[in-house]
Structure formats: structure tokens, C-alpha cells
Amino acid sequence: MVRGGPKLDHGRRRELGQSFQDGGRHYQQVRPGYPQESAQWLVPAGARDALDAGAGTGKFTELLLGMGLSVTAVDPSEDMLEQLRAHYPGATAVRATAEATGLPAAAFDVVSVAQAWHWCDALAASTELARVLRPHGTLGLIWNQLDTSVPWVHRLSRIMHAGDVYKPDFRPHVGPEFRDLEGHLTHWQDRVTTTDLVELTKSRSYYLRAGETTRAKVLANLDWYLHDHLGHSLDEELELPYLTLTWRATKA
């Protein structure tokens, strides 16, 4: 059972997901990467071949390549994949979805889905990703989230409309093709300026789908909060606390 995640029906999930069809260069510049600890915990010993599904611009792909894996990265956005190819040419980039990869069966030891599982049809994606995994292969689901246990970050997340903030009891929903779902939590900090935070806000699906009036309100509130209320100077560097939730399950 899913608890603490976004309540999105299929139509709303598809509508918001469409906001990431372009803007790949901006996404690559402003979105944080992932802690190495997350990939090290996720990838099983002896793994050789990895599929990064919903790879976007390759933020998690980078970690898989750094571990010496042969990586295929799929994403439905050609704009995102252009950034991935430019920054991580060692990966094979394919335009496809987690529900229909078009890739050979039993070709991978591990499949990762970073910051994208909530855009997927969980049951259809589980069936497809189990198909491309080898026996006893590993499915990994990864989310960066702002650490809202820190009071100033909690308020920041509300101003940003950061929809990827989950409650501590969140468990992702996976299909019956997988068993032994377990989670791992990494605390870390990303060094950002106040301008970076503004640009990060502009990369969120809420902002991308909003009208000009709503966008202006969000940015005005953010400017007031960072520079007037918290008293930070323009472009002052901050340590932004994050949590990375990493889940793994084994192909049944």
C-alpha cells in the first residue's frame, strides 16, 4: 500500500509528467544529483548490466557508470536524452518508457528508477521491468526529497510546491513480480545559492504547468522568504538538507 505519496490519478500524472518533455538543459543545471551511498546500497555485488528507466538527463546514470556498469538509459523525453548523451556518452540512450522499454528480455542485473516512479503506472512498469531483468535481478526506486524535518526547509518546500516530499511511512507500490521490498535512507546536503533555489523552483512540475500569475506569486513569495524573512543576501551560499530514499526489491 502506498502511504505518504502524491495522490495522482492517471490523467493528472500524465499531465504533470508532460511538463518534463522539454527544458532538459535547465533540469541538468539545477537539479541535484544523488549520493553515492544510494547507488552502492542498491546495486548488487557482481552486477554488470544496468537499466536506468526514466533517466532524465542522467543524474543517477552517472553513478551507475561510475561503478563500472554497462548502462542503458531510457526516457520518454528526447530533450532530456540529448543532455544525457552529451554529459554521459558512456551510456546507451533510448527513447522509451518504463512501461514499454522495447528492450530484450532478461538483459539486466539491476533496474533503477530515480525520481520517476510516481510518474509511472506502477503495475505496468513492474511487469515490464521484471521482464527485462534477469532471474533474481534488483529493482531500485530512488527519490531525493527536501529534509522537511528542518523547519526552514519545511516552509521552503511549501513555497516551492515541492510535490516530491514524502512522509516517513511512505512505501512505493510495486507489482507482484517483485518481493522483499526494503528501504535505505541517506542524509546529505547540497550547496546552493539563493539564485539556485529560485531556478530549482522553476524546474518543478507545479511551476512548469502554472500560469504566469501563479508563477509570479511563487517567485515573489520565494524572494521574500529567502531574502527578507530569512535575511540571506542575494546569491549567498546555503547548505540545503536532503534525504534520499532508496528502495530495492528482488524479482520473484
Side-chain angles (χ1 to χ4, degrees):
M1 180 178 181
V2 180
R3 300 189 300 272
K7 305 300 189 291
L8 300 176
D9 60 26
H10 176 74
R12 182 61 172 159
R13 184 174 63 238
R14 184 168 184 175
E15 176 190 354
L16 290 173
Q18 286 295 314
S19 63
F20 295 110
Q21 287 299 309
D22 52 22
R25 179 175 297 180
H26 186 251
Y27 189 101
Q28 174 64 18
Q29 290 173 344
V30 304
R31 283 297 181 105
Y34 298 88
Q36 190 172 24
E37 177 185 323
S38 174
Q40 291 175 334
W41 180 83
L42 170 62
V43 176
R48 303 185 309 276
D49 302 297
L51 170 63
D52 194 16
T57 63
K59 295 289 187 175
F60 201 78
T61 305
E62 179 182 15
L63 293 181
L64 298 173
L65 289 170
M67 296 178 71
L69 296 171
S70 174
V71 182
T72 299
V74 305
D75 195 89
S77 168
E78 186 60 32
D79 190 68
M80 294 283 183
L81 290 177
E82 286 180 7
Q83 293 296 311
L84 189 148
R85 294 185 185 104
H87 288 87
Y88 313 111
T92 300
V94 178
R95 187 175 181 180
T97 67
E99 295 88 349
T101 67
L103 298 171
F108 301 98
D109 302 302
V110 59
V111 174
S112 59
V113 186
Q115 216 74 21
W117 191 246
H118 50 291
W119 302 126
C120 300
D121 180 321
L123 292 180
S126 292
T127 299
E128 172 64 1
L129 299 181
R131 183 187 68 81
V132 300
L133 276 170
R134 295 178 178 128
H136 311 297
T138 298
L139 171 67
L141 309 178
I142 307 98
W143 280 275
N144 278 336
Q145 64 177 59
L146 296 172
D147 186 354
T148 55
S149 67
V150 180
W152 78 267
V153 179
H154 181 262
R155 189 166 183 181
L156 175 70
S157 74
R158 294 176 66 87
I159 294 171
M160 294 172 64
H161 293 267
D164 58 352
V165 176
Y166 293 90
K167 296 178 181 177
D169 63 351
F170 169 72
R171 286 177 62 84
H173 181 47
V174 298
E177 297 86 355
F178 293 97
R179 58 178 173 79
D180 300 331
L181 180 69
E182 57 180 335
H184 178 80
L185 184 64
T186 305
H187 293 258
W188 62 286
Q189 293 184 328
D190 192 28
R191 194 160 186 82
V192 297
T193 67
T194 58
T195 297
D196 292 333
L197 287 176
V198 172
E199 294 304 314
L200 180 63
T201 300
K202 292 178 181 180
S203 77
R204 298 279 180 171
S205 60
Y206 176 87
Y207 182 90
L208 293 171
R209 301 296 293 181
E212 289 302 318
T213 301
T214 298
R215 288 185 177 189
K217 182 178 179 180
V218 169
L219 295 182
N221 287 342
L222 187 60
D223 178 65
W224 168 84
Y225 181 61
L226 293 172
H227 301 121
D228 296 332
H229 183 72
L230 295 179
H232 296 299
S233 59
L234 189 65
D235 276 339
E236 180 181 343
E237 287 195 335
L238 311 172
E239 296 286 350
L240 181 61
Y242 273 97
L243 305 175
T244 297
L245 287 79
T246 311
W247 297 88
R248 66 186 180 195
T250 304
K251 180 178 176 179

